[in-house]
Structure formats: C-alpha cells, structure tokens
Amino acid sequence: MQATTATPRTWPEGGITRVPAWIYSDEEIFRKELTTFFSGDTWSFVGLECEIPDVGSFKRAWMGDKQVIVVRDEDGINVVENRCAHRGGAICWKNSGEVKDLTCVYHQWNYSLKGELRGIPLKRGVHGAGGMPEDFDASKHNLRRLRVTVRGGAVWASFSNTVPEFADYCGPELLKRLDRLLSGRPLRMLGVSRQLIPSNWKLYFENTRDPYHGTLLHTFFITFGLYRADSKHITSPTESGKHSCNYAVPGDRSKGEDITNELTRFRGDLQLNDMETVRYFDEYGDGEMSAMQVFPSVFVQQHANILAMRSIVPKSTREVEVIWTYFGYADDDEHLQRIRLKQSNLLGPSGFVSMDDSELLKQMQNQVAGYPGSVGVVEMGGHGTETQVTMATEVGIRAFYDYYRREMSL
Ligand SMILES: [Fe+2]
C-alpha cells in the first residue's frame, strides 16, 4: 500500500480544529470504525414499527456491515442477525415481506420468528446413515438475537450487552427532541428511497452536522423560501459529541402560520410550478425545524412537513448507502399526507436540496483520497464543542471528532 501520509495515523496539531484526510480512505481505520461503532456499544435505528405491522412482517436492516432481520411475532418485535447458525449464510434475501418462520435457503435450517432453531433437514440421516450426532444440542444454535428498544414507534437494536439503556444512551436533550417527533402517536409509512453515495460515511456525517453550508450550497432553500432569515439556528452536540441536535427556532412568532412569504429570494426570476412542494405549516405549534443525529446509524429529520429517518450504512472507505424512510402520522388527513409526499421531493437521491450534498460529497471523497496527507480546517465558531446559536459554526464537526478520537484512540 502506498504510504497514506508522511505521519501515518497521527492526528495533526490543532486537535479537533483539524481533520486529517487519511481518515477517509484508510482501510484499517474503516474496519475499526465498524467494530467500534456499528457493532460496538451503540444503539442503531433498524426500522419503524409501522413497517412491520403484522405477525410475520419483516424487514432487513443494516448495522454497518452486519445485516439483521427485524421481524414481528406474537410477543413483539425481534431483531436477529441475518446469519444462519449452520454455515453463516444469509437467511433473508429481501428487504421486506411476510414470513411464517425463518429458513435458510442453503440447507433449509429453520428458525422461529424469535430465531430459535426448530428444524434441521435430514437430522436423523438417510436410511440410518449420516445425520447429526445424537448429542447435537439445537438449543445452542439459535440465530444471534440483539437487544431491542421500541420507543415512539422507532425500533433500535444493539449487539452490545453493556451499552446503557436507550434513554440513557441518548441523554435527556436528544431524547426530548426525538420524543417531540416520535411521541408514541402511531406512525404511517410513506415510502423508502436508497442511494449509494461514493464518499466515506464520515463526510456524510459531517455534512448533516454542518449548518454553515446550509444556505451557501443549497441555493434552493433561499430561492424558494425554505430559509427563514429571522430563525435562530442551534447546534447542540450532546453526550460528549456522540450525538447532535440541530434545530431552528423562530425569532419572532407573531407573523402567523405561513412563514414562507417573508423570505429574501436568491433569484426572483425562478418559479416552481407547484408551490405546494415548498409551502409548509407549523404542525407542532412551536415553529421549529429539527434534526437529530443519533450516533452512529441515523439522522432523524423534520424539515418543513417532511419526516424522515436517514439510515447511514458504510459500505467501504469510499461508499456509504443512505436509506431514507419517509413517514407521517397514522391520523394525518389526505391533504397532509399529500403535502408530506410533495415536500419529500426536496430530499432523497434526487432531492432538490439533497442532491447538492450527494454530488458535493462525491467530489470531496476524490479530494481527500487524493491528498491523504492534507488537513481540513474546522474553526468556524471558534475552537470549542459547546452549543452554539448561529449558522456560522462547525461546532458539530469538532464535537464529533472529539468523541471519535477518544473512541478510536487517535
Ligand atoms: Fe446539505
């Protein structure tokens, strides 16, 4: 392997205000991130309860490089590793569907919806020959079961037996913001989109913690009135930088519900044929727009009237899959459902706003991989990791690397 840098795996001077480029292309670092974070002492978002409404409904999810099956039985929701206890084959090959039990296609080993091994074909052999030994104990060969927490309609799973309970893992501030959107009010699935972004997962992570680029890169926001100039933008890294809450609260709420009128337009000559795509209303009654990063797996977003979970699945040093799960509330009327779907055109693989990020991150990956010895500067908003009330800050990125360096011993 070509030397990645003159001083391999040494963090540059300047601490968390500097980010070395080699962390975006180093294979060993990537393997360590998968075990430390995605299979480590963390909780990962694996789906919404409403995605698997009936007994036997399942979905496949990824926790880093590991696949899991999220499946409902009579007692609730189970999350099991998608890996046969026999030879390790993937049991579930589909992203969603209905099953009576879980059966590996290779040798038909069969498991209950809780992952208990129930059936082994030819266990007693054929005509007295072959088969499993008498002392084979099937109960020791179940699918690996993960810890599961269901909160407000979202399902979280962990490989770890030592990670704190989900609420403690999140901490009070993040939990409060999650509960605002996922309050227990029944949810309704609106759709899923997937995209493979040719960039390191951390570049995507940084992007979702970076309010600084918001109105600079995404001119659509300003052109079509989705940026409110009098809002206060808060970036609050929580739990020592592990998670992040980013939200905008209105500066003056006396102006009524339609808050798209008063905005400065980037280009007055551009029009949208369907303004319903950008016209939103304050459904929570607090005027806020909110986004939470629950490390390491998901970015939970309420933008205008869009509600979306962005699952982050690192595929390699230079590829990240982003799975967008759009949802609403079960009691939304038809009008609100339509509004949510229309506004969802802003996000996702070809979203009017999100496609800027995907394209940009692709460029960024080429740059950082081509100059592994180079160093990024993150000093906007100072040198610290404390909550800031401004868009002109990179505190979310600094706080993330503060946490990251501790966990990765870098
Ligand atoms: Fe962006």
Side-chain angles (χ1 to χ4, degrees), residues 35 63 94 114 141 153 172 211 236 240 261 314 382 388:
T35 50
M63 293 166 64
K94 293 203 293 186
K114 286 184 171 57
H141 299 273
S236 184
S240 310
N261 299 329
Q388 294 203 334

Side-chain angles (χ1 to χ4, degrees), residues 207 213 218 357:
N207 176 265
H213 84 285
H218 302 304
D357 291 318

Side-chain angles (χ1 to χ4, degrees), residues 207 210 213-214 217-218 221 353-354 356-357:
N207 176 265
D210 172 13
H213 84 285
L217 174 67
H218 302 304
F221 274 142
V353 174
S354 295
D356 302 340
D357 291 318

